[in-house]
Amino acid sequence: MKLTVVGCSGSFPSADSACSSYLVEADGFRLLLDMGNGALGELQRHCGLYDLDAIFLSHLHADHCIDMLGYFVARYYRHDGGRAAPIPVYGPEGTEQRLTTAYADTPSASSMSEVFDFHTVKPGTFEVGPLTVHTERMRHPVEAYAIRIEHGGRSLTYSGDTGVCETLDELARDTDLFLCEAAFTHGKEDIPDLHLNGRQAGQSAARAGARRLVLTHIPPWTDPEVNLADARAVYPGPVSLATPRATYEI
């Protein structure tokens, strides 16, 4: 598998990065994890607008899904070749309604489903193209999911947004790459069931026995170097910060 960081900023885009969005490729299949603010433009650096095969939305906060509205325009109103065929979109219950409400002026109440084939995510295991995926509910103010992706004996686990959660540790057990949010700063923010800080992300990776940790979803007001140091203090494996356009072979 190949992982490309399309965007990794938390809460809102930074001057250097779009919000959360990650492209996973295997055997010519392209799965996009989240499409936050600014991600649609950055995505076009890595693949064509109509080259995605499926989309997974971890939850329905704007910094993880709002560029789906622009992507609706690109697929629904495409002039060259006509309207794009529906692409599978996996998201929490109510994803279609949320996007339709946010757009506010779709031609009809069902227009989103003409270009997006919506599938409701629940905890479980299923196949997406050549990928086997496992999803688990996380601790966040809205329904939110982490995802583990397996292919060819290798695995990638993406936390989405979550507070400290034993379920996340189990999902990331022995994973080859753990892409984990670290929005908060240890000793500064302490809000249960919302986000992890760098230390907590490192502790989760250590408990899971993850082989590599990549910290992501760090907002512009958080110092990423502090979170990196905090994670390294408690996790013995390799740790790095997600950066736009970075790629990882898994």
Side-chain angles (χ1 to χ4, degrees), residues 138-190:
M138 295 293 103
R139 294 182 177 176
H140 203 54
V142 300
E143 187 176 357
Y145 291 89
I147 184 171
R148 180 185 178 112
I149 304 168
E150 298 177 348
H151 177 73
R154 309 286 282 178
S155 65
L156 158 69
T157 302
Y158 168 49
S159 67
D161 283 7
T162 184
V164 176
C165 182
E166 291 181 7
T167 307
L168 177 60
D169 299 348
E170 289 303 315
L171 189 67
R173 181 72 58 198
D174 297 323
T175 196
D176 292 292
L177 192 150
F178 187 16
L179 182 63
C180 187
E181 75 118 293
F184 285 166
T185 303
H186 177 60
K188 180 181 177 183
E189 298 106 339
D190 184 17

mmCIF file of all heavy atoms in Angstrom, residues 138-190:
data_model
loop_
_atom_site.group_PDB
_atom_site.id
_atom_site.type_symbol
_atom_site.label_atom_id
_atom_site.label_comp_id
_atom_site.label_asym_id
_atom_site.label_seq_id
_atom_site.Cartn_x
_atom_site.Cartn_y
_atom_site.Cartn_z
ATOM 1 N N MET A 138 -15.176 5.582 17.863
ATOM 2 C CA MET A 138 -14.250 6.286 18.730
ATOM 3 C C MET A 138 -14.985 7.197 19.707
ATOM 4 O O MET A 138 -16.193 7.300 19.695
ATOM 5 C CB MET A 138 -13.271 7.111 17.870
ATOM 6 C CG MET A 138 -12.346 6.275 16.991
ATOM 7 S SD MET A 138 -11.136 5.292 17.911
ATOM 8 C CE MET A 138 -11.869 3.647 17.824
ATOM 9 N N ARG A 139 -14.217 7.854 20.575
ATOM 10 C CA ARG A 139 -14.777 8.779 21.560
ATOM 11 C C ARG A 139 -14.631 10.207 21.056
ATOM 12 O O ARG A 139 -13.527 10.763 21.042
ATOM 13 C CB ARG A 139 -14.072 8.607 22.906
ATOM 14 C CG ARG A 139 -14.333 7.260 23.560
ATOM 15 C CD ARG A 139 -13.657 7.149 24.905
ATOM 16 N NE ARG A 139 -13.972 5.880 25.546
ATOM 17 C CZ ARG A 139 -13.461 5.468 26.703
ATOM 18 N NH1 ARG A 139 -12.587 6.239 27.351
ATOM 19 N NH2 ARG A 139 -13.793 4.296 27.218
ATOM 20 N N HIS A 140 -15.747 10.778 20.625
ATOM 21 C CA HIS A 140 -15.767 12.110 20.032
ATOM 22 C C HIS A 140 -17.188 12.635 20.191
ATOM 23 O O HIS A 140 -18.123 11.838 20.348
ATOM 24 C CB HIS A 140 -15.354 12.012 18.557
ATOM 25 C CG HIS A 140 -14.823 13.286 17.983
ATOM 26 N ND1 HIS A 140 -13.790 13.996 18.553
ATOM 27 C CD2 HIS A 140 -15.181 13.984 16.860
ATOM 28 C CE1 HIS A 140 -13.536 15.060 17.815
ATOM 29 N NE2 HIS A 140 -14.362 15.080 16.785
ATOM 30 N N PRO A 141 -17.399 13.959 20.167
ATOM 31 C CA PRO A 141 -18.746 14.490 20.392
ATOM 32 C C PRO A 141 -19.782 14.044 19.362
ATOM 33 O O PRO A 141 -20.983 14.071 19.640
ATOM 34 C CB PRO A 141 -18.534 16.006 20.339
ATOM 35 C CG PRO A 141 -17.124 16.193 20.770
ATOM 36 C CD PRO A 141 -16.391 15.022 20.180
ATOM 37 N N VAL A 142 -19.342 13.681 18.159
ATOM 38 C CA VAL A 142 -20.253 13.147 17.152
ATOM 39 C C VAL A 142 -19.836 11.717 16.837
ATOM 40 O O VAL A 142 -18.747 11.277 17.214
ATOM 41 C CB VAL A 142 -20.246 13.999 15.864
ATOM 42 C CG1 VAL A 142 -20.683 15.429 16.163
ATOM 43 C CG2 VAL A 142 -18.866 13.984 15.204
ATOM 44 N N GLU A 143 -20.689 10.982 16.143
ATOM 45 C CA GLU A 143 -20.356 9.613 15.749
ATOM 46 C C GLU A 143 -19.105 9.632 14.880
ATOM 47 O O GLU A 143 -19.081 10.276 13.824
ATOM 48 C CB GLU A 143 -21.532 9.003 14.987
ATOM 49 C CG GLU A 143 -21.366 7.535 14.684
ATOM 50 C CD GLU A 143 -22.592 6.941 14.012
ATOM 51 O OE1 GLU A 143 -23.597 7.677 13.832
ATOM 52 O OE2 GLU A 143 -22.556 5.744 13.664
ATOM 53 N N ALA A 144 -18.069 8.945 15.333
ATOM 54 C CA ALA A 144 -16.773 8.998 14.653
ATOM 55 C C ALA A 144 -16.140 7.617 14.652
ATOM 56 O O ALA A 144 -16.301 6.842 15.608
ATOM 57 C CB ALA A 144 -15.845 10.009 15.333
ATOM 58 N N TYR A 145 -15.400 7.331 13.585
ATOM 59 C CA TYR A 145 -14.812 6.000 13.409
ATOM 60 C C TYR A 145 -13.332 6.076 13.069
ATOM 61 O O TYR A 145 -12.892 6.956 12.322
ATOM 62 C CB TYR A 145 -15.545 5.246 12.286
ATOM 63 C CG TYR A 145 -16.947 4.883 12.666
ATOM 64 C CD1 TYR A 145 -18.002 5.766 12.415
ATOM 65 C CD2 TYR A 145 -17.226 3.684 13.317
ATOM 66 C CE1 TYR A 145 -19.300 5.451 12.793
ATOM 67 C CE2 TYR A 145 -18.521 3.360 13.687
ATOM 68 C CZ TYR A 145 -19.547 4.247 13.439
ATOM 69 O OH TYR A 145 -20.825 3.939 13.821
ATOM 70 N N ALA A 146 -12.598 5.134 13.621
ATOM 71 C CA ALA A 146 -11.235 4.854 13.172
ATOM 72 C C ALA A 146 -11.315 3.701 12.185
ATOM 73 O O ALA A 146 -12.284 2.929 12.180
ATOM 74 C CB ALA A 146 -10.348 4.485 14.354
ATOM 75 N N ILE A 147 -10.271 3.581 11.353
ATOM 76 C CA ILE A 147 -10.277 2.541 10.329
ATOM 77 C C ILE A 147 -8.907 1.870 10.273
ATOM 78 O O ILE A 147 -7.874 2.533 10.362
ATOM 79 C CB ILE A 147 -10.660 3.126 8.949
ATOM 80 C CG1 ILE A 147 -10.764 2.033 7.879
ATOM 81 C CG2 ILE A 147 -9.697 4.229 8.526
ATOM 82 C CD1 ILE A 147 -11.353 2.520 6.551
ATOM 83 N N ARG A 148 -8.925 0.562 10.152
ATOM 84 C CA ARG A 148 -7.714 -0.211 9.902
ATOM 85 C C ARG A 148 -7.839 -0.807 8.505
ATOM 86 O O ARG A 148 -8.868 -1.424 8.171
ATOM 87 C CB ARG A 148 -7.557 -1.323 10.936
ATOM 88 C CG ARG A 148 -6.291 -2.177 10.741
ATOM 89 C CD ARG A 148 -6.255 -3.332 11.728
ATOM 90 N NE ARG A 148 -5.090 -4.185 11.536
ATOM 91 C CZ ARG A 148 -4.069 -4.299 12.384
ATOM 92 N NH1 ARG A 148 -4.078 -3.580 13.507
ATOM 93 N NH2 ARG A 148 -3.073 -5.107 12.132
ATOM 94 N N ILE A 149 -6.814 -0.618 7.693
ATOM 95 C CA ILE A 149 -6.824 -1.085 6.313
ATOM 96 C C ILE A 149 -5.736 -2.132 6.153
ATOM 97 O O ILE A 149 -4.578 -1.894 6.508
ATOM 98 C CB ILE A 149 -6.582 0.088 5.343
ATOM 99 C CG1 ILE A 149 -7.629 1.186 5.569
ATOM 100 C CG2 ILE A 149 -6.609 -0.387 3.903
ATOM 101 C CD1 ILE A 149 -7.302 2.487 4.876
ATOM 102 N N GLU A 150 -6.100 -3.298 5.607
ATOM 103 C CA GLU A 150 -5.144 -4.389 5.435
ATOM 104 C C GLU A 150 -5.072 -4.802 3.974
ATOM 105 O O GLU A 150 -6.091 -4.857 3.275
ATOM 106 C CB GLU A 150 -5.543 -5.581 6.306
ATOM 107 C CG GLU A 150 -5.532 -5.258 7.791
ATOM 108 C CD GLU A 150 -5.991 -6.427 8.656
ATOM 109 O OE1 GLU A 150 -6.531 -7.405 8.099
ATOM 110 O OE2 GLU A 150 -5.814 -6.361 9.882
ATOM 111 N N HIS A 151 -3.848 -5.077 3.544
ATOM 112 C CA HIS A 151 -3.642 -5.521 2.167
ATOM 113 C C HIS A 151 -2.273 -6.176 2.074
ATOM 114 O O HIS A 151 -1.271 -5.613 2.542
ATOM 115 C CB HIS A 151 -3.721 -4.345 1.190
ATOM 116 C CG HIS A 151 -3.450 -4.713 -0.230
ATOM 117 N ND1 HIS A 151 -4.355 -5.422 -1.002
ATOM 118 C CD2 HIS A 151 -2.381 -4.497 -1.028
ATOM 119 C CE1 HIS A 151 -3.853 -5.611 -2.209
ATOM 120 N NE2 HIS A 151 -2.650 -5.072 -2.256
ATOM 121 N N GLY A 152 -2.217 -7.355 1.492
ATOM 122 C CA GLY A 152 -0.947 -8.025 1.273
ATOM 123 C C GLY A 152 -0.156 -8.281 2.533
ATOM 124 O O GLY A 152 1.076 -8.237 2.509
ATOM 125 N N GLY A 153 -0.847 -8.535 3.636
ATOM 126 C CA GLY A 153 -0.173 -8.810 4.896
ATOM 127 C C GLY A 153 0.330 -7.585 5.635
ATOM 128 O O GLY A 153 1.031 -7.705 6.642
ATOM 129 N N ARG A 154 -0.009 -6.397 5.157
ATOM 130 C CA ARG A 154 0.406 -5.147 5.793
ATOM 131 C C ARG A 154 -0.826 -4.366 6.244
ATOM 132 O O ARG A 154 -1.940 -4.593 5.747
ATOM 133 C CB ARG A 154 1.233 -4.291 4.825
ATOM 134 C CG ARG A 154 2.381 -5.015 4.159
ATOM 135 C CD ARG A 154 3.534 -5.254 5.112
ATOM 136 N NE ARG A 154 4.309 -4.027 5.297
ATOM 137 C CZ ARG A 154 5.359 -3.931 6.114
ATOM 138 N NH1 ARG A 154 5.736 -4.977 6.834
ATOM 139 N NH2 ARG A 154 6.035 -2.791 6.216
ATOM 140 N N SER A 155 -0.621 -3.429 7.168
ATOM 141 C CA SER A 155 -1.779 -2.710 7.700
ATOM 142 C C SER A 155 -1.458 -1.252 7.995
ATOM 143 O O SER A 155 -0.339 -0.887 8.353
ATOM 144 C CB SER A 155 -2.282 -3.380 8.983
ATOM 145 O OG SER A 155 -1.314 -3.297 10.018
ATOM 146 N N LEU A 156 -2.483 -0.437 7.840
ATOM 147 C CA LEU A 156 -2.468 0.990 8.161
ATOM 148 C C LEU A 156 -3.674 1.250 9.055
ATOM 149 O O LEU A 156 -4.783 0.810 8.742
ATOM 150 C CB LEU A 156 -2.582 1.815 6.873
ATOM 151 C CG LEU A 156 -3.095 3.264 6.992
ATOM 152 C CD1 LEU A 156 -2.077 4.133 7.696
ATOM 153 C CD2 LEU A 156 -3.413 3.827 5.602
ATOM 154 N N THR A 157 -3.467 1.965 10.155
ATOM 155 C CA THR A 157 -4.577 2.334 11.034
ATOM 156 C C THR A 157 -4.647 3.851 11.139
ATOM 157 O O THR A 157 -3.641 4.510 11.411
ATOM 158 C CB THR A 157 -4.407 1.728 12.435
ATOM 159 O OG1 THR A 157 -4.305 0.301 12.330
ATOM 160 C CG2 THR A 157 -5.606 2.065 13.320
ATOM 161 N N TYR A 158 -5.831 4.390 10.905
ATOM 162 C CA TYR A 158 -6.076 5.833 10.978
ATOM 163 C C TYR A 158 -7.092 6.086 12.080
ATOM 164 O O TYR A 158 -8.197 5.544 12.062
ATOM 165 C CB TYR A 158 -6.596 6.338 9.629
ATOM 166 C CG TYR A 158 -7.152 7.740 9.632
ATOM 167 C CD1 TYR A 158 -6.459 8.802 10.197
ATOM 168 C CD2 TYR A 158 -8.385 8.013 9.036
ATOM 169 C CE1 TYR A 158 -6.980 10.087 10.187
ATOM 170 C CE2 TYR A 158 -8.912 9.293 9.004
ATOM 171 C CZ TYR A 158 -8.205 10.327 9.586
ATOM 172 O OH TYR A 158 -8.728 11.602 9.570
ATOM 173 N N SER A 159 -6.732 6.945 13.007
ATOM 174 C CA SER A 159 -7.565 7.158 14.200
ATOM 175 C C SER A 159 -8.812 7.983 13.939
ATOM 176 O O SER A 159 -9.775 7.890 14.708
ATOM 177 C CB SER A 159 -6.737 7.862 15.284
ATOM 178 O OG SER A 159 -6.409 9.188 14.879
ATOM 179 N N GLY A 160 -8.802 8.811 12.874
ATOM 180 C CA GLY A 160 -9.847 9.832 12.806
ATOM 181 C C GLY A 160 -9.673 10.740 14.017
ATOM 182 O O GLY A 160 -8.554 10.969 14.481
ATOM 183 N N ASP A 161 -10.762 11.252 14.572
ATOM 184 C CA ASP A 161 -10.709 12.084 15.775
ATOM 185 C C ASP A 161 -11.230 11.290 16.969
ATOM 186 O O ASP A 161 -12.297 10.665 16.891
ATOM 187 C CB ASP A 161 -11.561 13.337 15.600
ATOM 188 C CG ASP A 161 -10.886 14.391 14.748
ATOM 189 O OD1 ASP A 161 -9.813 14.103 14.193
ATOM 190 O OD2 ASP A 161 -11.445 15.509 14.643
ATOM 191 N N THR A 162 -10.510 11.366 18.087
ATOM 192 C CA THR A 162 -10.922 10.596 19.257
ATOM 193 C C THR A 162 -10.200 11.069 20.508
ATOM 194 O O THR A 162 -9.101 11.639 20.429
ATOM 195 C CB THR A 162 -10.633 9.099 19.063
ATOM 196 O OG1 THR A 162 -11.132 8.357 20.179
ATOM 197 C CG2 THR A 162 -9.140 8.836 18.922
ATOM 198 N N GLY A 163 -10.827 10.830 21.651
ATOM 199 C CA GLY A 163 -10.127 10.918 22.912
ATOM 200 C C GLY A 163 -9.467 9.584 23.198
ATOM 201 O O GLY A 163 -9.462 8.679 22.356
ATOM 202 N N VAL A 164 -8.892 9.445 24.391
ATOM 203 C CA VAL A 164 -8.250 8.190 24.780
ATOM 204 C C VAL A 164 -9.275 7.072 24.720
ATOM 205 O O VAL A 164 -10.398 7.198 25.228
ATOM 206 C CB VAL A 164 -7.657 8.307 26.200
ATOM 207 C CG1 VAL A 164 -7.083 6.970 26.649
ATOM 208 C CG2 VAL A 164 -6.576 9.380 26.225
ATOM 209 N N CYS A 165 -8.902 5.964 24.093
ATOM 210 C CA CYS A 165 -9.883 4.927 23.777
ATOM 211 C C CYS A 165 -9.197 3.569 23.655
ATOM 212 O O CYS A 165 -8.331 3.391 22.784
ATOM 213 C CB CYS A 165 -10.577 5.299 22.468
ATOM 214 S SG CYS A 165 -11.863 4.183 21.915
ATOM 215 N N GLU A 166 -9.553 2.620 24.512
ATOM 216 C CA GLU A 166 -8.968 1.281 24.438
ATOM 217 C C GLU A 166 -9.271 0.619 23.101
ATOM 218 O O GLU A 166 -8.471 -0.167 22.591
ATOM 219 C CB GLU A 166 -9.493 0.415 25.585
ATOM 220 C CG GLU A 166 -8.996 0.821 26.962
ATOM 221 C CD GLU A 166 -9.519 -0.086 28.051
ATOM 222 O OE1 GLU A 166 -10.164 -1.113 27.706
ATOM 223 O OE2 GLU A 166 -9.298 0.229 29.234
ATOM 224 N N THR A 167 -10.420 0.932 22.524
ATOM 225 C CA THR A 167 -10.791 0.346 21.239
ATOM 226 C C THR A 167 -9.807 0.744 20.150
ATOM 227 O O THR A 167 -9.492 -0.052 19.255
ATOM 228 C CB THR A 167 -12.218 0.787 20.851
ATOM 229 O OG1 THR A 167 -13.111 0.487 21.920
ATOM 230 C CG2 THR A 167 -12.692 0.072 19.601
ATOM 231 N N LEU A 168 -9.292 1.969 20.223
ATOM 232 C CA LEU A 168 -8.293 2.406 19.254
ATOM 233 C C LEU A 168 -7.009 1.602 19.417
ATOM 234 O O LEU A 168 -6.397 1.180 18.431
ATOM 235 C CB LEU A 168 -8.009 3.897 19.412
ATOM 236 C CG LEU A 168 -6.919 4.471 18.497
ATOM 237 C CD1 LEU A 168 -7.276 4.297 17.028
ATOM 238 C CD2 LEU A 168 -6.667 5.944 18.821
ATOM 239 N N ASP A 169 -6.605 1.378 20.667
ATOM 240 C CA ASP A 169 -5.392 0.577 20.911
ATOM 241 C C ASP A 169 -5.521 -0.802 20.278
ATOM 242 O O ASP A 169 -4.580 -1.302 19.646
ATOM 243 C CB ASP A 169 -5.159 0.405 22.413
ATOM 244 C CG ASP A 169 -4.961 1.721 23.143
ATOM 245 O OD1 ASP A 169 -4.779 2.764 22.484
ATOM 246 O OD2 ASP A 169 -5.001 1.701 24.388
ATOM 247 N N GLU A 170 -6.677 -1.423 20.433
ATOM 248 C CA GLU A 170 -6.881 -2.768 19.888
ATOM 249 C C GLU A 170 -6.925 -2.745 18.361
ATOM 250 O O GLU A 170 -6.402 -3.639 17.704
ATOM 251 C CB GLU A 170 -8.167 -3.376 20.443
ATOM 252 C CG GLU A 170 -8.076 -3.742 21.915
ATOM 253 C CD GLU A 170 -6.931 -4.707 22.193
ATOM 254 O OE1 GLU A 170 -6.765 -5.681 21.431
ATOM 255 O OE2 GLU A 170 -6.175 -4.472 23.152
ATOM 256 N N LEU A 171 -7.553 -1.724 17.808
ATOM 257 C CA LEU A 171 -7.635 -1.630 16.348
ATOM 258 C C LEU A 171 -6.233 -1.480 15.740
ATOM 259 O O LEU A 171 -5.960 -2.009 14.665
ATOM 260 C CB LEU A 171 -8.515 -0.446 15.944
ATOM 261 C CG LEU A 171 -8.870 -0.331 14.463
ATOM 262 C CD1 LEU A 171 -9.780 -1.480 14.031
ATOM 263 C CD2 LEU A 171 -9.534 1.015 14.169
ATOM 264 N N ALA A 172 -5.365 -0.775 16.446
ATOM 265 C CA ALA A 172 -4.014 -0.515 15.941
ATOM 266 C C ALA A 172 -3.007 -1.593 16.355
ATOM 267 O O ALA A 172 -1.812 -1.433 16.114
ATOM 268 C CB ALA A 172 -3.532 0.845 16.438
ATOM 269 N N ARG A 173 -3.479 -2.695 16.936
ATOM 270 C CA ARG A 173 -2.574 -3.736 17.419
ATOM 271 C C ARG A 173 -1.632 -4.209 16.306
ATOM 272 O O ARG A 173 -2.074 -4.648 15.242
ATOM 273 C CB ARG A 173 -3.386 -4.921 17.934
ATOM 274 C CG ARG A 173 -2.574 -6.081 18.502
ATOM 275 C CD ARG A 173 -1.964 -5.725 19.826
ATOM 276 N NE ARG A 173 -2.984 -5.332 20.800
ATOM 277 C CZ ARG A 173 -2.711 -4.652 21.916
ATOM 278 N NH1 ARG A 173 -1.467 -4.300 22.174
ATOM 279 N NH2 ARG A 173 -3.685 -4.320 22.754
ATOM 280 N N ASP A 174 -0.324 -4.066 16.540
ATOM 281 C CA ASP A 174 0.725 -4.540 15.616
ATOM 282 C C ASP A 174 0.618 -3.937 14.221
ATOM 283 O O ASP A 174 1.127 -4.514 13.251
ATOM 284 C CB ASP A 174 0.702 -6.076 15.513
ATOM 285 C CG ASP A 174 1.005 -6.740 16.847
ATOM 286 O OD1 ASP A 174 1.844 -6.219 17.600
ATOM 287 O OD2 ASP A 174 0.390 -7.784 17.138
ATOM 288 N N THR A 175 -0.031 -2.805 14.084
ATOM 289 C CA THR A 175 -0.173 -2.193 12.762
ATOM 290 C C THR A 175 1.182 -1.689 12.256
ATOM 291 O O THR A 175 2.049 -1.292 13.036
ATOM 292 C CB THR A 175 -1.208 -1.043 12.800
ATOM 293 O OG1 THR A 175 -1.595 -0.709 11.474
ATOM 294 C CG2 THR A 175 -0.669 0.201 13.486
ATOM 295 N N ASP A 176 1.363 -1.706 10.952
ATOM 296 C CA ASP A 176 2.635 -1.271 10.374
ATOM 297 C C ASP A 176 2.795 0.244 10.426
ATOM 298 O O ASP A 176 3.898 0.749 10.648
ATOM 299 C CB ASP A 176 2.739 -1.767 8.929
ATOM 300 C CG ASP A 176 2.875 -3.278 8.870
ATOM 301 O OD1 ASP A 176 3.920 -3.789 9.289
ATOM 302 O OD2 ASP A 176 1.913 -3.937 8.431
ATOM 303 N N LEU A 177 1.708 0.972 10.213
ATOM 304 C CA LEU A 177 1.758 2.430 10.317
ATOM 305 C C LEU A 177 0.499 2.910 11.021
ATOM 306 O O LEU A 177 -0.613 2.581 10.604
ATOM 307 C CB LEU A 177 1.885 3.083 8.937
ATOM 308 C CG LEU A 177 2.223 4.586 8.942
ATOM 309 C CD1 LEU A 177 3.017 4.973 7.701
ATOM 310 C CD2 LEU A 177 0.959 5.454 9.012
ATOM 311 N N PHE A 178 0.689 3.673 12.075
ATOM 312 C CA PHE A 178 -0.409 4.211 12.874
ATOM 313 C C PHE A 178 -0.467 5.712 12.624
ATOM 314 O O PHE A 178 0.392 6.467 13.071
ATOM 315 C CB PHE A 178 -0.150 3.905 14.347
ATOM 316 C CG PHE A 178 -1.278 4.245 15.283
ATOM 317 C CD1 PHE A 178 -2.570 4.491 14.830
ATOM 318 C CD2 PHE A 178 -1.058 4.293 16.650
ATOM 319 C CE1 PHE A 178 -3.605 4.782 15.701
ATOM 320 C CE2 PHE A 178 -2.079 4.583 17.544
ATOM 321 C CZ PHE A 178 -3.353 4.830 17.074
ATOM 322 N N LEU A 179 -1.454 6.147 11.860
ATOM 323 C CA LEU A 179 -1.688 7.556 11.560
ATOM 324 C C LEU A 179 -2.654 8.077 12.620
ATOM 325 O O LEU A 179 -3.855 7.809 12.553
ATOM 326 C CB LEU A 179 -2.271 7.693 10.150
ATOM 327 C CG LEU A 179 -2.549 9.093 9.623
ATOM 328 C CD1 LEU A 179 -1.275 9.920 9.511
ATOM 329 C CD2 LEU A 179 -3.271 9.021 8.281
ATOM 330 N N CYS A 180 -2.123 8.786 13.596
ATOM 331 C CA CYS A 180 -2.913 9.098 14.792
ATOM 332 C C CYS A 180 -2.994 10.592 15.039
ATOM 333 O O CYS A 180 -1.990 11.307 14.972
ATOM 334 C CB CYS A 180 -2.277 8.401 16.005
ATOM 335 S SG CYS A 180 -3.262 8.535 17.508
ATOM 336 N N GLU A 181 -4.194 11.041 15.355
ATOM 337 C CA GLU A 181 -4.393 12.449 15.649
ATOM 338 C C GLU A 181 -3.697 12.845 16.949
ATOM 339 O O GLU A 181 -3.584 12.057 17.874
ATOM 340 C CB GLU A 181 -5.885 12.770 15.712
ATOM 341 C CG GLU A 181 -6.614 12.293 16.952
ATOM 342 C CD GLU A 181 -7.193 13.454 17.756
ATOM 343 O OE1 GLU A 181 -6.387 14.239 18.303
ATOM 344 O OE2 GLU A 181 -8.420 13.557 17.845
ATOM 345 N N ALA A 182 -3.223 14.095 16.998
ATOM 346 C CA ALA A 182 -2.583 14.642 18.200
ATOM 347 C C ALA A 182 -2.866 16.140 18.241
ATOM 348 O O ALA A 182 -1.971 16.969 18.112
ATOM 349 C CB ALA A 182 -1.087 14.366 18.181
ATOM 350 N N ALA A 183 -4.133 16.477 18.416
ATOM 351 C CA ALA A 183 -4.567 17.869 18.297
ATOM 352 C C ALA A 183 -4.221 18.705 19.519
ATOM 353 O O ALA A 183 -3.993 19.916 19.415
ATOM 354 C CB ALA A 183 -6.070 17.921 18.043
ATOM 355 N N PHE A 184 -4.202 18.075 20.687
ATOM 356 C CA PHE A 184 -3.993 18.805 21.926
ATOM 357 C C PHE A 184 -2.531 18.780 22.369
ATOM 358 O O PHE A 184 -1.726 17.981 21.873
ATOM 359 C CB PHE A 184 -4.861 18.212 23.032
ATOM 360 C CG PHE A 184 -6.328 18.564 22.936
ATOM 361 C CD1 PHE A 184 -7.265 17.864 23.700
ATOM 362 C CD2 PHE A 184 -6.785 19.583 22.117
ATOM 363 C CE1 PHE A 184 -8.609 18.183 23.642
ATOM 364 C CE2 PHE A 184 -8.135 19.904 22.046
ATOM 365 C CZ PHE A 184 -9.048 19.205 22.821
ATOM 366 N N THR A 185 -2.214 19.648 23.335
ATOM 367 C CA THR A 185 -0.879 19.709 23.918
ATOM 368 C C THR A 185 -0.937 19.181 25.343
ATOM 369 O O THR A 185 -1.786 19.611 26.137
ATOM 370 C CB THR A 185 -0.343 21.155 23.936
ATOM 371 O OG1 THR A 185 -0.344 21.665 22.600
ATOM 372 C CG2 THR A 185 1.066 21.206 24.508
ATOM 373 N N HIS A 186 -0.052 18.246 25.668
ATOM 374 C CA HIS A 186 0.008 17.683 27.012
ATOM 375 C C HIS A 186 0.233 18.794 28.044
ATOM 376 O O HIS A 186 1.126 19.626 27.896
ATOM 377 C CB HIS A 186 1.145 16.663 27.097
ATOM 378 C CG HIS A 186 1.342 16.083 28.462
ATOM 379 N ND1 HIS A 186 0.350 15.371 29.115
ATOM 380 C CD2 HIS A 186 2.418 16.111 29.294
ATOM 381 C CE1 HIS A 186 0.812 14.982 30.296
ATOM 382 N NE2 HIS A 186 2.051 15.411 30.427
ATOM 383 N N GLY A 187 -0.622 18.820 29.075
ATOM 384 C CA GLY A 187 -0.513 19.820 30.118
ATOM 385 C C GLY A 187 -1.223 21.120 29.821
ATOM 386 O O GLY A 187 -1.257 22.022 30.670
ATOM 387 N N LYS A 188 -1.800 21.242 28.651
ATOM 388 C CA LYS A 188 -2.490 22.479 28.272
ATOM 389 C C LYS A 188 -3.989 22.248 28.151
ATOM 390 O O LYS A 188 -4.782 22.827 28.882
ATOM 391 C CB LYS A 188 -1.929 23.011 26.957
ATOM 392 C CG LYS A 188 -2.566 24.298 26.470
ATOM 393 C CD LYS A 188 -1.968 24.742 25.137
ATOM 394 C CE LYS A 188 -2.651 25.991 24.610
ATOM 395 N NZ LYS A 188 -2.128 26.390 23.269
ATOM 396 N N GLU A 189 -4.399 21.395 27.211
ATOM 397 C CA GLU A 189 -5.828 21.074 27.070
ATOM 398 C C GLU A 189 -6.105 19.716 27.723
ATOM 399 O O GLU A 189 -5.337 18.772 27.552
ATOM 400 C CB GLU A 189 -6.246 21.011 25.605
ATOM 401 C CG GLU A 189 -6.071 22.315 24.848
ATOM 402 C CD GLU A 189 -4.887 22.288 23.890
ATOM 403 O OE1 GLU A 189 -3.996 21.450 24.083
ATOM 404 O OE2 GLU A 189 -4.887 23.102 22.957
ATOM 405 N N ASP A 190 -7.189 19.643 28.442
ATOM 406 C CA ASP A 190 -7.581 18.386 29.102
ATOM 407 C C ASP A 190 -9.091 18.255 29.016
ATOM 408 O O ASP A 190 -9.814 18.519 29.977
ATOM 409 C CB ASP A 190 -7.106 18.362 30.550
ATOM 410 C CG ASP A 190 -7.397 17.028 31.238
ATOM 411 O OD1 ASP A 190 -7.665 16.047 30.518
ATOM 412 O OD2 ASP A 190 -7.368 16.982 32.479
#
